[in-house]
Amino acid sequence: MQFSLNETYHSPGTTLLQVIKRNGQAVTFEKSKIESAMTRAMLAVEGQQASGSDRVRLLVQEITQEIVQRFVRQFPEGGVITIEDIQDQVELGLMRKGLQKVARAYVLYREEHARQRETQTEETITEQEAFIRVLDDRGEPLNLLYSTIMEQINTACTGFHDVDPDYLFQQAKSHLFSGMKLSDVDTALLMTVRPLIEQEPNYSFVCAQLLNYKLKKEVAHFFKLNADNDNFYLDALTYLVEHATQFELLDEKLKQFDLVELAQALKPERDRQFTYLGLQTLYDRYFLHWQDQRLELPQTFFMRVAMGLALNEDNPTERAIEFYNLLSSFDYMCSTPTLFNSGTRRAQLSSCYLTTIDDDLSAIYESIADNAQLSKWAGGLGNDWSNVRALGSHIRGTNGKSQGVIPFLKVVNDTAVAVNQGGKRKGAVCAYLETWHLDIEDFLELRKNTGDERRRTHDMNTANWIPDLFMKRVLGDDKWTLFSPDDVPELHDLYGTAFEKKYCEYEALAQQGEITLFKTVSAKKLWQKMLSMLFETGHPWITFKDPCNIRSPQQHVGQVHSSNLCTEITLNTSKDEIAVCNLGSINLARHINQGRLDSDRLRQTIRTAVRMLDNVIDINFYPVEKAANANLKHRPIGLGIMGFQDALYQLGMSYASVEAVRFADLSMEQVAYFAIEASALLAKERGEYPSYQGSLWNKGQLPIDSLEQLELQRGADYCSFDTVALLDWQPIRELIERYGMRNSNVLAIAPTATISNIVGVSQSIEPTYQNLFVKSNLSGEFTVINHYLVQQLKKHALWDSVMINDLKYFDGSVQKIERIPESVKSLFSTAFELDPRWLVEAAARRQKWIDQAQSLNLYLAEPSGKMLDNLYKMAWSRGLKTTYYLRSLGATQQEKTFDDNQQANASIPLADVRVCSIEDPDCEACQ
């Protein structure tokens, strides 16, 4: 049989997708040749009786279209691929459709023809060729020496183990062709290395160096500099400030810095810390650009951010160097808005904004307008809607009836779509509603894919704001009453025992007929519907009102009415105040030294990080006045962590272990200790925050102390907290008593989805998602492989092509690969293989130290109603303030290839670990 790769395919951009033939000739990609090749392969296996079959024709067209779409995603503006690239995708496409025999025949064909080509040396490009003819920017031909390309590859590989520059050079030559643009050579080199990342993680660093080489040429060309000059980085910073201020991208104040001193402090060698995903993310989304030309290099980018945060310091140049060293070392990273906007003319540096919507039409639309302004400047939004009257309630002004909350949420949803975050990422908002609100049942269904589309919000997030009394009613299988907030106005601001007392009074009034608009439901059935919708749609998230308020340091000046977009912020909001969260995260993995947490380094990191976060508050551009008022009055910050899973790998701990829970406790206690200390020391230098008097800090109560008040108000029977402290907190108490606090809130653990990619560690407190998978984001598709696992497998002499294929087949799981030792399997269990109670246990240990909350995702491979019920009751009992996404395995399956003797979609049971729950220490309900 004969296969060959006729309709010409044009990619969406201005450039055609080019195919490099084996003789080096470039031709236009034609999808009909793929269809022809697959049809011949199928006929060869199934016989000529299949000729003309509709089944064969439709199957071939479907597989071809999938291949075309993959290339379109990979090369949206056109690009270069090889015959081998296409044949690899054909092979995978056949196997994905279960056509193993056809795929096998296709593989044998490829192998046979490869052997034939090896013997036909006259058809290959000679090794003696010294250069390739390429076209410069003006279309003029020039000779590009192969030795130059080899030198570039060698430089990119220097310092990285188990990479082969000679092999890369030979592979790269197959992507190069006479007459290609010089600017496309760098892209061709990247395309050569990218597929190798799954074989050796260090190729990700090599790929980053090749991208950095391309970036340097781009910046050098724009500024008319020599990228090979020793002073290139020094000149690049000076030219950046000069040109970017001229283009009105950067604040003129940056010219006041000693740019020579700053440039001399740059550390270009730190460019080699980047993975390909990390640097590509910065390249695509973070670096300043003008007319689509990048103006920043990695180190000038970090220095620009540092300069923006040091503007108000007494010695700004010295502080900028300090801030730069922290960022460029990857010990700490600012949140995305800070990285986007620091040093710019509109320095909106805050991550999230929390608002309360008042029960008034003008106030509602004012809030929606605020949402638009905040989203425009890259802020995520959390809206509290519990104060807005319910469907059917009386409108005094018009003597009509209200349409309730839901129609307004539809407007909020569409506003988030219409106004994205500065054109850099999608607009994002989360609506919160309390469980007693009469519209709660419709609220639960907002994300459903069925029903009236006018009452659906597919693009926004939703969250339940649940009082403790509701959870008690669920446990007691009691009734629950739903009200319209205009009939029960006090409930919105009350919590704890005061809420319970007033709520019961309103229930009595309803039974007496004095409140007519209400509904009585089974608390247990409403809870079950919450969990059902959470599993079905991923929303609304489960968050708990009372621990957020009872443990709030700022309860003396208001109430927490919701969390934020990512459920880690718990700040007061009102009709006069929009809460603002200013975030940054410590890279915990960078603070593990010789098998232990390096406390001295951690303390130094945190002192600088807290200073940077406090500076954000004064430098920040506030799109709305209410946000400025709240932020300057209370000065909250949210210092968090990322790379928790990486730290566990370095310590040799499985996430599903008592040791990991203890480490979660220990590490968070130290972070809290040093962060609170840093804020108190800042208060000594700069003064306490304006609303400090009367706060829990002022009363001598630390976050750990507030657990006692939560247990008192909730009732000891409903609590299962751990309150053990390992450090001596007396010095911190004395420090606060002497100087106060600079910040009303100090700690919050954000998801760190993007900044963890930048520094190359696991997100936030997340367990490993999969040990090998393809990550898709705004920068494209990236192979992500667990380099800690690869290191372990290399130690056991188990890392080979068979292992790679096994990992692909088992969706990045090691559990069913028999030759892997059990100790390795335990250490590298993935998110869906962990009993989720370990995640709750670790989060509960952190929560006792945190004055705000944490973004906690829960993973369930095979959810059941009983399991969900028990898990979220456990989260409440342990004192968690919030939870985030519930992720199930079915919606996140990775593509895989199949062998005839293997079964797809093999399920993995949850680990049999014993973690006590409310009802039973053995927790049989979860087994």
Side-chain angles (χ1 to χ4, degrees):
M1 58 183 172
Q2 181 180 358
F3 303 99
S4 62
L5 284 180
N6 290 315
E7 164 183 351
T8 301
Y9 176 73
H10 292 247
S11 69
T14 58
T15 310
L16 292 174
L17 194 59
Q18 299 285 313
V19 180
I20 307 304
K21 300 175 70 173
R22 292 188 177 90
N23 63 3
Q25 180 185 1
V27 298
T28 302
F29 178 82
E30 299 178 13
K31 73 173 186 177
S32 59
K33 291 189 176 182
I34 298 178
E35 293 175 342
S36 175
M38 277 194 291
T39 300
R40 294 185 184 186
M42 291 186 184
L43 294 180
V45 173
E46 299 185 8
Q48 288 299 317
Q49 66 271 17
S51 179
S53 163
D54 287 340
R55 180 187 67 83
V56 171
R57 177 177 56 83
L58 292 174
L59 197 55
V60 166
Q61 290 177 351
E62 182 180 350
I63 297 173
T64 302
Q65 188 60 29
E66 290 175 357
I67 294 172
V68 169
Q69 289 174 351
R70 283 178 174 275
F71 285 135
V72 169
R73 289 196 302 270
Q74 188 174 357
F75 305 99
E77 299 299 328
V80 178
I81 57 176
T82 67
I83 294 291
E84 295 295 334
D85 295 331
I86 296 173
Q87 291 184 339
D88 286 344
Q89 291 301 322
V90 170
E91 182 182 325
L92 288 171
L94 291 168
M95 289 191 286
R96 289 188 189 102
K97 297 300 181 183
L99 303 172
Q100 285 84 6
K101 292 183 179 179
V102 179
R104 221 169 240 176
Y106 191 81
V107 171
L108 292 174
Y109 158 80
R110 291 182 66 184
E111 291 176 351
E112 174 60 28
H113 279 252
R115 283 192 293 270
Q116 293 176 10
R117 286 193 299 273
E118 289 176 3
T119 61
Q120 297 171 348
T121 56
E122 68 275 10
E123 293 182 9
T124 64
I125 301 175
T126 63
E127 293 295 325
Q128 286 73 31
E129 291 178 354
F131 61 83
I132 184 172
R133 298 279 284 181
V134 296
L135 304 177
D136 65 15
D137 294 338
R138 296 170 297 177
E140 297 293 329
L142 57 86
N143 296 334
L144 177 63
L145 295 174
Y146 278 134
S147 60
T148 301
I149 297 174
M150 187 65 201
E151 181 182 356
Q152 183 179 341
I153 293 174
N154 275 325
T155 301
C157 293
T158 300
F160 303 119
H161 299 293
D162 300 325
V163 297
D164 187 343
D166 294 327
Y167 175 75
L168 289 183
F169 176 67
Q170 295 302 323
Q171 292 296 109
K173 289 179 69 175
S174 68
H175 287 80
L176 305 177
F177 60 95
S178 181
M180 72 186 299
K181 294 180 180 179
L182 177 61
S183 58
D184 289 337
V185 172
D186 294 325
T187 302
L189 295 180
L190 285 170
M191 293 304 102
T192 299
V193 182
R194 281 181 61 166
L196 301 176
I197 294 174
E198 67 180 34
Q199 301 174 24
E200 170 50 59
N202 281 337
Y203 278 118
S204 180
F205 295 102
V206 174
C207 216
Q209 294 312 301
L210 293 172
L211 175 60
N212 198 35
Y213 183 80
K214 175 183 177 182
L215 172 63
K216 286 180 179 179
K217 289 197 295 185
E218 183 177 343
V219 172
H221 175 75
F222 186 86
F223 291 145
K224 295 181 173 55
L225 299 171
N226 182 357
D228 297 324
N229 192 303
D230 292 339
N231 293 326
F232 174 57
Y233 247 119
L234 189 152
D235 294 336
L237 180 65
T238 306
Y239 276 60
L240 166 66
V241 175
E242 177 183 334
H243 285 77
T245 51
Q246 179 183 336
F247 299 149
E248 298 186 352
L249 296 175
L250 290 180
D251 193 324
E252 290 281 345
K253 294 177 183 177
L254 266 59
K255 291 183 176 180
Q256 300 172 8
F257 287 84
D258 186 334
L259 296 179
V260 173
E261 184 177 350
L262 293 181
Q264 290 173 342
L266 296 176
K267 295 180 169 58
E269 65 274 13
R270 290 183 174 176
D271 287 351
R272 304 189 74 80
Q273 297 177 123
F274 284 103
T275 63
Y276 176 52
L277 172 58
L279 189 56
Q280 187 71 58
T281 300
L282 286 181
Y283 181 90
D284 289 339
R285 299 171 58 191
Y286 288 81
F287 291 154
L288 291 177
H289 56 85
W290 181 253
Q291 297 179 344
D292 206 31
Q293 294 290 307
R294 272 62 180 181
L295 307 181
E296 293 184 302
L297 301 165
Q299 302 309 314
T300 60
F301 162 74
F302 286 132
M303 185 59 83
R304 183 262 297 175
V305 174
M307 292 163 70
L309 293 175
L311 279 172
N312 295 343
E313 293 280 1
D314 292 337
N315 190 334
T317 296
E318 180 181 328
R319 287 295 184 185
I321 293 173
E322 177 187 345
F323 297 166
Y324 161 79
N325 281 322
L326 192 62
L327 294 172
S328 63
S329 67
F330 292 177
D331 283 5
Y332 166 84
M333 192 54 58
C334 303
S335 65
T336 284
T338 305
L339 298 178
F340 277 165
N341 299 321
S342 182
T344 65
R345 289 178 172 240
R346 290 291 185 270
Q348 197 300 106
L349 311 178
S350 298
S351 300
C352 290
Y353 295 84
L354 285 67
T355 70
T356 285
I357 289 83
D358 203 21
D359 187 30
D360 174 84
L361 190 61
S362 297
I364 290 171
Y365 277 94
E366 181 184 346
S367 296
I368 293 173
D370 288 343
N371 275 5
Q373 287 295 327
L374 294 167
S375 184
K376 172 184 177 181
W377 297 104
L381 307 168
N383 296 158
D384 155 41
W385 287 87
S386 298
N387 215 27
V388 177
R389 70 190 65 195
L391 176 67
S393 58
H394 182 245
I395 303 175
R396 295 177 183 85
T398 62
N399 199 32
K401 290 188 176 181
S402 172
Q403 292 298 303
V405 172
I406 305 303
F408 294 118
L409 294 181
K410 179 69 172 175
V411 179
V412 173
N413 178 88
D414 295 344
T415 301
V417 174
V419 185
N420 66 9
Q421 299 188 36
K424 297 178 179 178
R425 56 179 180 176
K426 296 178 181 179
V429 61
C430 182
Y432 285 76
L433 199 70
E434 289 203 47
T435 315
W436 50 262
H437 198 289
L438 194 57
D439 287 346
I440 189 68
E441 292 174 299
D442 289 335
F443 182 79
L444 297 179
E445 297 183 347
L446 280 171
R447 292 293 296 257
K448 287 186 69 173
N449 291 321
T450 58
D452 186 352
E453 279 298 305
R454 293 169 298 183
R455 300 180 69 80
R456 295 290 179 267
T457 57
H458 300 298
D459 302 291
M460 67 178 287
N461 304 298
T462 57
N464 288 300
W465 193 238
I466 301 173
D468 280 354
L469 181 59
F470 175 74
M471 296 303 298
K472 294 176 184 178
R473 296 276 181 95
V474 171
L475 292 170
D477 197 9
D478 295 326
K479 297 295 183 182
W480 182 250
T481 308
L482 307 179
F483 297 103
S484 179
D486 57 323
D487 289 329
V488 291
E490 293 94 340
L491 294 185
H492 184 240
D493 289 339
L494 293 177
Y495 53 88
T497 54
F499 173 89
E500 294 190 14
K501 180 180 178 181
K502 181 57 67 173
Y503 182 85
C504 292
E505 289 177 7
Y506 279 129
E507 283 187 312
L509 292 176
Q511 295 302 316
Q512 295 165 14
E514 296 186 37
I515 296 177
T516 57
L517 185 62
F518 70 94
K519 181 178 180 181
T520 301
V521 299
S522 163
K524 189 173 183 178
K525 288 184 178 179
L526 182 59
W527 171 249
Q528 289 171 344
K529 184 174 183 179
M530 287 180 179
L531 298 180
S532 175
M533 288 297 99
L534 183 64
F535 172 67
E536 180 181 335
T537 71
H539 294 82
W541 302 323
I542 303 295
T543 61
F544 302 112
K545 174 183 181 178
D546 287 279
C548 291
N549 277 281
I550 293 170
R551 299 192 63 203
S552 169
Q554 290 295 96
Q555 54 193 261
H556 66 302
V557 288
Q559 297 80 31
V560 182
H561 292 119
S562 72
S563 187
N564 66 319
L565 177 66
C566 306
T567 76
E568 82 276 18
I569 301 302
T570 55
L571 299 174
N572 296 346
T573 56
S574 69
K575 63 180 181 180
D576 301 316
E577 289 190 0
I578 292 177
V580 185
C581 48
N582 314 293
L583 302 178
S585 298
I586 297 159
N587 181 356
L588 204 58
R590 291 277 299 175
H591 295 81
I592 302 298
N593 184 14
Q594 297 182 346
R596 57 181 289 273
L597 187 61
D598 189 335
S599 300
D600 293 335
R601 182 172 182 173
L602 186 63
R603 173 179 250 155
Q604 187 57 50
T605 292
I606 289 173
R607 285 196 180 180
T608 301
V610 168
R611 188 179 195 93
M612 294 167 72
L613 286 169
D614 188 64
N615 286 358
V616 165
I617 297 168
D618 298 307
I619 296 168
N620 199 47
F621 165 74
Y622 296 96
V624 295
E625 191 62 28
K626 293 179 184 178
N629 292 339
N631 216 26
L632 292 170
K633 182 178 180 181
H634 310 301
R635 306 189 66 85
I637 60 174
L639 181 67
I641 60 173
M642 58 183 170
F644 179 77
Q645 175 71 89
D646 294 70
L648 292 181
Y649 287 143
Q650 293 177 37
L651 296 170
M653 296 179 184
S654 168
Y655 208 122
S657 68
V658 173
E659 291 77 16
V661 172
R662 288 173 179 166
F663 177 70
D665 196 339
L666 167 68
S667 58
M668 201 66 230
E669 183 177 7
Q670 290 200 28
V671 169
Y673 192 101
F674 298 141
I676 295 170
E677 177 188 55
S679 184
L681 290 173
L682 269 184
K684 175 185 177 182
E685 176 185 342
R686 298 175 171 179
E688 63 194 29
Y689 66 92
S691 62
Y692 172 76
Q693 295 299 321
S695 67
L696 292 190
W697 305 110
N698 181 230
K699 295 177 180 179
Q701 294 186 36
L702 302 179
I704 185 69
D705 305 321
S706 63
L707 279 171
E708 181 180 349
Q709 187 61 220
L710 177 59
E711 183 175 19
L712 181 65
Q713 295 212 37
R714 179 184 287 179
D717 291 343
Y718 299 104
C719 301
S720 55
F721 316 142
D722 177 275
T723 58
V724 175
L726 298 179
L727 302 180
D728 178 10
W729 283 84
Q730 188 57 34
I732 301 299
R733 297 179 190 277
E734 293 173 358
L735 196 65
I736 295 172
E737 184 178 5
R738 188 176 307 122
Y739 302 117
M741 289 285 285
R742 181 62 177 169
N743 312 99
S744 65
N745 297 76
V746 180
L747 298 159
I749 300 180
T752 74
T754 308
I755 62 171
S756 61
N757 288 340
I758 293 172
V759 303
V761 298
S762 57
Q763 296 179 20
S764 188
I765 50 176
E766 295 282 285
T768 295
Y769 170 64
Q770 290 173 340
N771 290 307
L772 174 63
F773 66 102
V774 176
K775 181 182 183 68
S776 297
N777 61 22
L778 293 177
S779 295
E781 295 185 347
F782 301 85
T783 298
V784 178
I785 187 166
N786 188 337
H787 63 95
Y788 296 102
L789 171 63
V790 175
Q791 290 172 5
Q792 284 291 321
L793 293 176
K794 284 180 178 179
K795 288 180 180 178
H796 291 83
L798 293 174
W799 185 245
D800 52 31
S801 60
V802 175
M803 182 63 70
I804 296 170
N805 288 328
D806 284 345
L807 282 173
K808 287 182 181 179
Y809 176 78
F810 288 114
D811 291 336
S813 170
V814 299
Q815 303 305 317
K816 288 184 172 291
I817 304 177
E818 293 183 359
R819 60 191 180 126
I820 294 180
E822 290 300 321
S823 59
V824 176
K825 290 182 179 181
S826 174
L827 188 60
F828 294 99
S829 296
T830 58
F832 291 110
E833 295 162 351
L834 298 173
D835 186 317
R837 289 171 295 172
W838 287 113
L839 303 180
V840 173
E841 285 290 352
R845 296 298 183 93
R846 296 188 202 95
Q847 188 63 76
K848 67 181 181 180
W849 304 113
I850 303 173
D851 52 40
Q852 295 195 69
Q854 52 196 314
S855 293
L856 175 65
N857 292 316
L858 297 175
Y859 296 82
L860 290 174
E862 298 176 348
S864 68
K866 183 177 290 187
M867 186 184 301
L868 285 176
D869 174 63
N870 190 275
L871 185 63
Y872 281 96
K873 285 176 180 174
M874 175 185 173
W876 175 70
S877 167
R878 290 290 194 270
L880 291 185
K881 296 180 179 181
T882 63
T883 62
Y884 198 22
Y885 281 100
L886 171 69
R887 304 191 186 277
S888 57
L889 189 59
T892 54
Q893 282 283 18
Q894 179 187 347
E895 294 173 350
K896 60 180 76 157
T897 57
F898 304 113
D899 185 273
D900 287 346
N901 297 321
Q902 293 177 314
Q903 296 180 350
N905 299 317
S907 62
I908 302 170
L910 290 171
D912 183 16
V913 291
R914 303 288 180 174
V915 184
C916 63
S917 72
I918 298 171
E919 295 84 4
D920 184 347
D922 290 333
C923 202
E924 294 295 339
C926 285
Q927 302 306 314

